[in-house]
Amino acid sequence: MASCHVCDLRVLVATVCGLLTAIVLGLGIWRIVISVETETLTPTANTTIKFCRNGGTWENGRCVCPEEWRGWRCTIPYFCESSTSDDLTFARIPVGKYGSSQQTCGENTLNVGYPIATRMCSISIYGEIVLENVTKGNCDENLETLENKIVNMAAQLENISSETQILTSNVSKMTPENITSAARVVGQIFNTSRNASCEAKDTAVSTVSQLLSVSEDVFQKTPDAPNNDDAFTTLIQQMESYSLSLKNNSVVKPNVAVQTVSFSTKSTVLFSVKKGDSDSFISGSITVDTNVSNPNPDAETELQILLNTSKSNTKCGFIVYQNSKFFRSKIFKPKSNFSQKIISGKTDDTKKDQRTSVEIVFNPRYDPKTFQIHSYACVYWNFIKKDWDTNGCHKRRGADEFLYCHCNHTTNFAVLMSFEKKYKYPASLDILSNVGCALSITGLALTIVFQIVTRNVRKTSVTWVFVSLCTSMLIFNLLFVFGIENSNKNLVKRDNDTNKMDSDKNEIPTQDTVVISNPTCTVMAVLLHYFLLVTFTWTGISAAQLYFLLIRTMKPLPQHFIVFISLIGWGVPAIVVALTVGIIFSQNRNDPQWELQYRQEEICWLAVPDKKDLITSPFLWSFVLPVTIILINNIVIFIIIIVKVIWKNNRNLTSTKKVSSLKKILSMLSIAVVFGITWILAYLMLIDNDVIRTVFSYMFCLFNTTQGLQIFVLYTVRTKIFQDEASKVLKLLSLSTGKKKSLPSVTSLRLRVRMYNMLRSFPALNEHFRLLEPSVITEETTLSESDQANPSI
């Protein structure tokens, strides 16, 4: 009767396990098929990338070309070819810029390493791209000496302006001190009291454009001294005066454009900047209209300023800067490469009762697929505060995507914007992951309880390594299910309509990117990082333990082995994680988003770097590298055990001959589960093919989310003690319900016998791991004695 109950239990267990396996496999295959079909039917996103040529990028429905190309597809050359003149060689020069000679000043000169001469590439009045004459510099004049010379009222300003332009042509060699000196020199050239020639001022505008090309990092390193601020302030003020002296003409350089408009009657002036094929200003992108009542932006408009004056016989000057590097604010600190254009509007009427209103329209250039505007402020540059101010300016709601501002005075205006990055938060865990993790959590919990409770009954020690492995894996699965998702995805604004922002608050943002901090997600990423490293460490220790017990059975394990392996299993991963977080924080402590150097924003897991940053990434050194070393170690030991134990036939042992190939294969699978061999599928997910990567992704999910279930079936359900105890429980349940089972038919009985024999055919070599009763194979005697000699392992 007892045997029938055992047989019934085993049939039930086999049926349940078979159904669970079939369900999980079915879900996996179904998701793979759906994903492959989706990838096949979905068109690739490379069409727009291939459409733009010569390095152009597709943004907002058009190609944005590099400065050397123009046209709808960036196929029209916009540069001067390489040239040679007076034994000086010049590389390709974009239109509107000066090119530096490849020959530089010698070592015995003040300007060692700086170009000897420059040459400008421009467009003639007939629209032809031409190279202008070479302008040679003086290698014994640097920006510091020119700064001292400019103080002399009798100085030759045209030569100084030319020398300054040459010395600032190579922006990569510019230092913070060079920027300050050049700003002082150019500011004096624009000074009306110096009476510099038009050519000198035109060259000075080129120098200003070149200074605006210097990296933001170099500008930020300029010393915070009053003299430096005065240099930039003086330059800005003198540029405003210069903007009133061009007699209805304009000067357009790649990073700055200046325009003068004169009118004799009361009028309005609309100054517009159109979006070009590149980020640089060109003559055709600057337009001026008079007697316009309201701004009239269109899809090609990037910036407009409408100046309405109550006086006649007035001059208006406009300046647009490509960025805000001259406006060193203490309130607003830009951290990214977003273009913050500055527009200046000024009239020559200085009377205090002047009534001038200014309407400004901004259409910022950014990638709407990656960022969205979080907030913005309409501001002007306050020369007294030497910072941005909102007095007299306010937002105005519009009916389109443009940003509207209104001010009651003229000066340098800007819209300071803060952007919020659009993260593609993944959907919640799908049914395959949920089912697999739920089964693994249940199986691991039951396995841990079983190993601890039945220690004395099984007359074998609780495998400390095995229990530690199951514990770390259980905690990781719990954290993964309940903590992998970032709660920020429920807080992110999905609406990118700028007109729905609060138009009443005109508050200056402190930086151009919004920080949405989530310390909980960071803590969760740290815990996931730690417990997954712990899990892999214990798989490595399991492999080492089995190697000592199976391959080197005559050599007992060292003393204090439990303490030693516990320090390794639980302590080493803690050191790795602590060092990783500490190093990242120390290197980025001034960055409010330092935690995104450690984790992702999309999920609470380690940040995956770009290919160019892979070598220096913490993801590589604190996770991929140690996991790879452990997996290689486990695979090597796995192969050794297969060759020397499982598939080795010893003719002196009759029990070995009775071990079938099926049992050996199942023994290999049992070892592979504990060693985590299936994690090598993660490396196959790196294959650069969407279909193959999808297939391996779902295989990885299928095998590794159910790893706890596999351990439960192979190392708990199969034990005789578990089966006996479960049989007693079923017997009690059967008696309590009072139901009598009918005798099975002959066919059903045969099926149960076959299922029973199949269960009995599971590999007996699992006794090596001391998780089953050591009573089947006689060759296990040596191992059992070794196990008893180490009862605490």
Side-chain angles (χ1 to χ4, degrees):
M1 227 16 220
S3 62
C4 290
H5 283 294
V6 174
C7 183
D8 291 341
L9 175 63
R10 289 176 176 174
V11 171
L12 177 62
V13 170
T15 304
V16 172
C17 293
L19 288 174
L20 290 175
T21 304
I23 291 173
V24 174
L25 285 174
L27 288 172
I29 295 173
W30 173 69
R31 289 308 302 269
I32 290 174
V33 172
I34 295 298
S35 299
V36 170
E37 290 181 352
T38 303
E39 293 291 338
T40 304
L41 297 176
T42 303
T44 60
N46 295 329
T47 305
T48 55
I49 297 176
K50 294 180 180 179
F51 180 80
C52 303
R53 304 298 180 85
N54 299 310
T57 57
W58 185 265
E59 295 180 10
N60 301 325
R62 66 188 183 92
C63 289
V64 176
C65 307
E67 60 183 2
E68 297 178 349
W69 297 91
R70 290 292 185 272
W72 176 244
R73 301 182 63 187
C74 305
T75 56
I76 301 176
Y78 200 69
F79 56 85
C80 296
E81 293 285 359
S82 302
S83 61
T84 301
S85 178
D86 297 336
D87 296 329
L88 297 174
T89 304
F90 297 86
R92 178 187 292 180
I93 306 173
V95 174
K97 286 192 172 183
Y98 284 88
S100 302
S101 64
Q102 296 182 358
Q103 290 76 18
T104 58
C105 296
E107 295 182 356
N108 297 325
T109 61
L110 289 177
N111 294 330
V112 55
Y114 282 84
I116 294 176
T118 60
R119 193 176 194 181
M120 187 176 186
C121 177
S122 61
I123 297 182
S124 68
I125 58 175
Y126 303 105
E128 298 177 349
I129 298 176
V130 295
L131 274 170
E132 297 186 2
N133 295 329
V134 175
T135 303
K136 293 184 178 180
N138 186 351
C139 289
D140 290 323
E141 292 279 6
N142 58 19
L143 290 171
E144 286 74 17
T145 59
L146 293 175
E147 184 182 353
N148 295 329
K149 277 188 176 182
I150 198 69
V151 179
N152 186 357
M153 296 295 295
Q156 297 181 351
L157 298 182
E158 190 167 344
N159 290 337
I160 293 178
S161 181
S162 178
E163 292 286 349
T164 306
Q165 183 276 317
I166 294 174
L167 293 174
T168 58
S169 61
N170 189 353
V171 296
S172 62
K173 295 182 67 68
M174 292 292 291
T175 64
E177 293 75 17
N178 294 154
I179 294 174
T180 304
S181 298
R184 291 197 181 102
V185 172
V186 175
Q188 289 300 317
I189 293 173
F190 285 127
N191 192 329
T192 55
S193 64
R194 306 302 299 270
N195 296 321
S197 65
C198 294
E199 291 77 10
K201 292 181 179 179
D202 186 274
T203 304
V205 176
S206 297
T207 302
V208 171
S209 179
Q210 291 172 171
L211 290 176
L212 292 174
S213 295
V214 181
S215 69
E216 181 68 33
D217 293 337
V218 179
F219 261 93
Q220 292 297 332
K221 293 178 182 178
T222 54
D224 291 329
N227 292 334
N228 295 328
D229 292 336
D230 290 341
F232 294 129
T233 300
T234 301
L235 174 59
I236 296 169
Q237 291 175 330
Q238 295 301 330
M239 286 280 290
E240 287 184 351
S241 300
Y242 172 66
S243 68
L244 297 171
S245 64
L246 294 178
K247 300 179 181 179
N248 286 330
N249 293 321
S250 63
V251 177
V252 181
K253 302 299 179 181
N255 291 321
V256 64
V258 186
Q259 174 78 50
T260 301
V261 180
S262 301
F263 47 89
S264 57
T265 60
K266 299 178 182 180
S267 180
T268 58
V269 181
L270 181 65
F271 179 80
S272 303
V273 179
K274 299 292 183 179
K275 292 181 178 178
D277 295 332
S278 69
D279 292 333
S280 301
F281 296 137
I282 59 175
S283 298
S285 63
I286 307 298
T287 62
V288 175
D289 297 310
T290 58
N291 295 320
V292 179
S293 58
N294 294 301
N296 52 3
D298 54 27
E300 297 300 319
T301 301
E302 187 171 7
L303 185 151
Q304 279 188 346
I305 177 171
L306 178 66
L307 193 150
N308 187 358
T309 179
S310 60
K311 300 293 183 180
S312 58
N313 298 321
T314 304
K315 290 181 180 179
C316 295
F318 299 98
I319 307 173
V320 57
Y321 300 92
Q322 191 72 257
N323 51 61
S324 59
K325 293 176 182 176
F326 290 151
F327 302 84
R328 300 185 60 198
S329 173
K330 300 178 181 62
I331 301 175
F332 180 76
K333 298 291 184 181
K335 299 291 184 181
S336 61
N337 295 322
F338 296 115
S339 178
Q340 301 276 0
K341 288 184 172 58
I342 311 298
I343 180 70
S344 170
K346 183 178 177 61
T347 64
D348 61 349
D349 193 341
T350 58
K351 293 182 180 180
K352 294 183 179 181
D353 61 347
Q354 178 187 10
R355 295 180 180 180
T356 303
S357 64
V358 178
E359 297 283 344
I360 312 165
V361 181
F362 287 88
N363 186 9
R365 179 178 291 181
Y366 64 98
D367 185 5
K369 295 181 180 179
T370 307
F371 295 93
Q372 66 181 19
I373 299 179
H374 180 265
S375 64
Y376 73 96
C378 299
V379 298
Y380 74 96
W381 186 255
N382 190 321
F383 286 104
I384 298 176
K385 295 181 178 180
K386 296 181 181 179
D387 213 326
W388 297 113
D389 197 351
T390 59
N391 186 28
C393 295
H394 63 269
K395 299 178 185 178
R396 187 170 65 83
R397 187 180 298 275
D400 45 35
E401 71 277 7
F402 296 96
L403 308 179
Y404 292 85
C405 296
H406 179 273
C407 295
N408 58 13
H409 51 78
T410 59
T411 184
N412 297 275
F413 303 100
V415 167
L416 302 182
M417 296 163 285
S418 61
F419 291 87
E420 181 179 347
K421 189 172 182 179
K422 287 184 177 179
Y423 292 101
K424 296 181 180 179
Y425 293 99
S428 300
L429 295 177
D430 58 16
I431 187 172
L432 177 61
S433 299
N434 281 322
V435 171
C437 290
L439 293 175
S440 288
I441 290 171
T442 304
L444 289 169
L446 293 175
T447 300
I448 294 171
V449 173
F450 174 79
Q451 288 289 313
I452 296 175
V453 171
T454 63
R455 173 180 182 178
N456 296 328
V457 178
R458 290 183 291 113
K459 297 181 180 179
T460 56
S461 62
V462 176
T463 305
W464 175 250
V465 175
F466 184 70
V467 172
S468 298
L469 171 62
C470 293
T471 302
S472 60
M473 193 180 300
L474 172 63
I475 298 175
F476 174 78
N477 275 276
L478 289 170
L479 293 172
F480 179 81
V481 172
F482 297 105
I484 191 68
E485 293 184 3
N486 191 345
S487 58
N488 279 348
K489 76 176 185 178
N490 300 321
L491 304 175
V492 173
K493 299 178 181 179
R494 296 299 180 184
D495 190 1
N496 193 31
D497 187 358
T498 57
N499 294 309
K500 291 185 179 181
M501 300 178 193
D502 190 351
S503 60
D504 296 330
K505 294 182 179 179
N506 192 24
E507 297 178 354
I508 300 177
T510 57
Q511 58 186 18
D512 56 357
T513 54
V514 176
V515 179
I516 303 178
S517 180
N518 190 352
T520 303
C521 186
T522 304
V523 172
M524 193 60 63
V526 170
L527 293 176
L528 285 169
H529 185 193
Y530 171 70
F531 281 104
L532 190 54
L533 280 183
V534 169
T535 300
F536 276 106
T537 305
W538 282 113
T539 62
I541 294 174
S542 298
Q545 182 195 26
L546 290 179
Y547 175 80
F548 279 107
L549 292 177
L550 299 181
I551 307 302
R552 305 178 65 180
T553 55
M554 301 304 294
K555 296 182 179 180
L557 295 174
Q559 295 182 350
H560 309 294
F561 188 65
I562 288 182
V563 177
F564 179 70
I565 62 176
S566 297
L567 291 175
I568 294 177
W570 297 101
V572 173
I575 296 175
V576 173
V577 174
L579 286 176
T580 303
V581 177
I583 292 174
I584 292 176
F585 177 75
S586 62
Q587 293 177 345
N588 305 274
R589 65 176 65 204
N590 296 325
D591 185 359
Q593 289 184 301
W594 70 268
E595 55 192 25
L596 295 185
Q597 300 295 325
Y598 174 73
R599 66 165 176 88
Q600 304 177 44
E601 174 62 21
E602 293 82 355
I603 58 175
C604 302
W605 178 239
L606 301 180
V608 179
D610 297 330
K611 292 182 179 179
K612 61 180 180 179
D613 300 326
L614 181 61
I615 301 301
T616 59
S617 68
F619 178 74
L620 174 66
W621 296 102
S622 67
F623 181 73
V624 175
L625 186 62
V627 167
T628 302
I629 294 174
I630 293 173
L631 281 177
I632 292 175
N633 169 78
N634 292 359
I635 292 172
V636 171
I637 295 178
F638 178 64
I639 295 173
I640 293 174
I641 292 176
I642 290 174
V643 174
K644 292 190 175 183
V645 177
I646 296 180
W647 289 94
K648 180 179 180 180
N649 289 328
N650 189 344
R651 299 184 180 277
N652 296 325
L653 298 175
T654 58
S655 61
T656 305
K657 298 179 182 179
K658 298 179 182 180
V659 179
S660 65
S661 297
L662 178 60
K663 293 180 179 180
K664 294 179 180 180
I665 293 174
L666 292 175
S667 294
M668 293 169 53
L669 295 177
S670 301
I671 302 173
V673 169
V674 176
F675 284 13
I677 302 298
T678 54
W679 280 82
I680 62 175
L681 293 171
Y683 297 91
L684 299 177
M685 291 162 55
L686 301 176
I687 297 176
D688 191 16
N689 183 287
D690 292 339
V691 176
I692 296 177
R693 183 167 58 246
T694 301
V695 172
F696 282 118
S697 296
Y698 280 101
M699 290 177 62
F700 174 83
C701 180
L702 177 66
F703 286 111
N704 291 292
T705 57
T706 60
Q707 189 175 3
L709 175 64
Q710 298 168 40
I711 291 175
F712 173 67
V713 172
L714 293 174
Y715 295 102
T716 301
V717 174
R718 289 190 56 251
T719 59
K720 187 175 182 300
I721 298 175
F722 181 86
Q723 294 172 2
D724 291 342
E725 294 298 325
S727 178
K728 294 177 182 178
V729 173
L730 289 178
K731 184 177 179 181
L732 291 175
L733 292 175
S734 178
L735 293 176
S736 63
T737 57
K739 295 182 179 180
K740 296 183 179 180
K741 297 183 179 180
S742 60
L743 292 176
S745 63
V746 176
T747 303
S748 178
L749 182 59
R750 288 178 180 176
L751 177 62
R752 294 185 180 185
V753 170
R754 288 181 181 178
M755 300 268 311
Y756 172 79
N757 290 333
M758 185 184 70
L759 289 174
R760 294 287 295 173
S761 67
F762 276 89
L765 286 179
N766 279 323
E767 317 300 337
H768 282 301
F769 314 129
R770 294 170 292 112
L771 299 175
L772 305 179
E773 289 294 328
S775 60
V776 179
I777 299 178
T778 56
E779 69 178 6
E780 304 250 67
T781 305
T782 303
L783 176 61
S784 298
E785 292 175 355
S786 176
D787 191 18
Q788 297 296 333
N790 297 275
S792 59
I793 296 174

